[in-house]
Amino acid sequence: MLLPAYNGGHRLAWRVGEYLGAVRRGRFSRCAACGRWGPNLYRRWVIRPELERRSGVSPRAAEAWALKESGDCVHCGAKLRARRIAEVILRLYPVGDPPRPAPSIRRWVESAEARALLVAEVNEVEGLHRQLLRLPSFRPSEFRDDAPPGEVVDGVRCEHLERLTYESESFDLLITSETLEHVPDLSAALAEILRVLRPGGRHFFTAPILPGVSQTFPRAVLRGDGTIEHLAPPVSHPGGDWGYPVFTELGEDFPAILRLAGFEVETAFGPLREDDVCQVYCCRKPADGPRST
Ligand SMILES: [Zn+2]
């Protein structure tokens, strides 16, 4: 009897502490995903010391990384990175006459303009996902290593970015968040994203590009037998030494790599800084087809 009460009290105290932290830091905003006003809960512990050490980030950049991976909207749970992707969607897909940004994704999905778009999401972006589910043309999917791409398991379609099962030129918008670093063959994934986008279609994503990593490099390769060969000290997310392995450490040159892959690239909330690592990368498939490079 006493233990549940103790645990409940402990969780409440923890939550109150997060609220007070948000108030103290003045972190209040209107959530671009759900449209509601409230504090954004900062949790420094989400970037664990082991992840910080293995990734080689400065204490200041680790704080910024923690803000990106928390800063939750108290209403819908959208982290800062989800809320920023939402802001970019609202900005680049205005609605109404004259066209202007909708106040939130919750309102945006009700517009005729949004409902005419074909939108894909590869791996759930918490907070944003729940709002986008109201779009009739929304195609969410999850990566699973125990199911082939295209199969539906427990009502959820499975997809692998290296070999998407969608038709070419299917989507106006494809969303990923903190996913690209975990794909074993990143160039295959970029080629696939380009393939399934319509001309002029966009891929919005966030990824852990961190200050101090100037050049993108492979940390690991997936061998044919399914085992992982480490080319550099292993890093996993979210724990550092546990979680999903990082195959590619993305560097500050990553936008240039995206351009070489055929995208037009813009960075929102940029540039990357030690005190703000939460950029949204907007990659557009050229309307007249991929560039020849
Ligand atoms: Zn929200």
Side-chain angles (χ1 to χ4, degrees):
M1 283 293 281
L2 279 176
L3 194 60
Y6 171 79
N7 284 338
H10 190 71
R11 274 198 300 274
L12 181 64
W14 189 291
R15 195 78 173 163
V16 167
E18 289 179 342
Y19 264 80
L20 292 177
V23 173
R24 200 169 53 243
R25 289 161 183 268
R27 290 200 168 107
F28 278 74
S29 67
R30 184 175 300 282
C31 174
C34 72
R36 281 174 283 186
W37 178 264
N40 306 129
L41 305 180
Y42 175 66
R43 297 191 304 274
R44 175 62 186 83
W45 54 264
V46 296
I47 301 302
R48 293 160 198 273
E50 187 61 24
L51 177 58
E52 195 175 330
R53 188 184 69 75
R54 289 184 180 228
S55 302
V57 294
S58 68
R60 200 159 170 232
E63 272 198 33
W65 198 2
L67 181 59
K68 175 188 186 182
E69 290 296 337
S70 61
D72 307 17
C73 164
V74 291
H75 305 290
C76 73
K79 297 174 183 175
L80 178 63
R81 59 182 163 90
R83 290 185 286 115
R84 284 194 168 176
I85 292 174
E87 279 187 51
V88 172
I89 294 173
L90 298 177
R91 202 186 302 162
L92 290 183
Y93 296 94
V95 298
D97 183 19
R100 60 175 64 127
S104 65
I105 297 294
R106 188 162 66 94
R107 297 285 301 279
W108 181 79
V109 297
E110 294 164 357
S111 70
E113 292 89 340
R115 297 176 88 81
L117 294 174
L118 268 165
V119 180
E121 174 200 54
V122 181
N123 294 344
E124 179 174 338
V125 186
E126 204 178 339
L128 187 58
H129 174 86
R130 196 187 340 161
Q131 303 300 336
L132 291 174
L133 277 176
R134 293 168 56 219
L135 273 183
S137 54
F138 184 48
R139 300 287 180 271
S141 66
E142 290 287 329
F143 168 75
R144 285 181 69 131
D145 54 12
D146 60 347
E151 193 164 303
V152 176
V153 179
D154 299 331
V156 180
R157 181 166 176 151
C158 305
E159 287 293 343
H160 191 313
L161 274 174
E162 289 175 18
R163 38 185 189 282
L164 296 171
T165 63
Y166 301 114
E167 297 285 312
S168 298
E169 304 191 353
S170 291
F171 297 110
D172 298 291
L173 178 58
L174 187 147
I175 299 163
T176 66
S177 187
E178 310 299 296
T179 294
L180 294 181
E181 71 276 18
H182 300 296
V183 180
D185 188 343
L186 184 54
S187 14
L190 296 179
E192 274 294 86
I193 292 168
L194 195 67
R195 180 182 70 77
V196 302
L197 286 177
R198 291 174 169 169
R202 296 177 170 111
H203 173 213
F204 291 167
F205 73 89
T206 67
I209 302 178
L210 300 169
V213 179
S214 56
Q215 286 197 317
T216 297
F217 65 91
R219 276 203 183 273
V221 291
L222 187 63
R223 294 200 195 99
D225 63 2
T227 58
I228 294 174
E229 180 186 350
H230 295 286
L231 307 178
V235 174
S236 293
H237 295 157
D241 54 353
W242 58 268
Y244 293 101
V246 172
F247 283 96
T248 310
E249 196 70 61
L250 305 173
E252 294 174 17
D253 62 343
F254 194 50
I257 291 172
L258 293 164
R259 288 188 186 97
L260 280 175
F263 294 100
E264 297 166 351
V265 186
E266 284 179 35
T267 306
F269 305 101
L272 180 72
R273 302 193 307 269
E274 267 220 313
D275 61 350
D276 189 343
V277 299
C278 189
Q279 283 68 43
V280 179
Y281 297 90
C282 310
C283 300
R284 185 173 177 272
K285 179 173 179 171
D288 54 357
R291 290 172 184 170
S292 55
T293 49

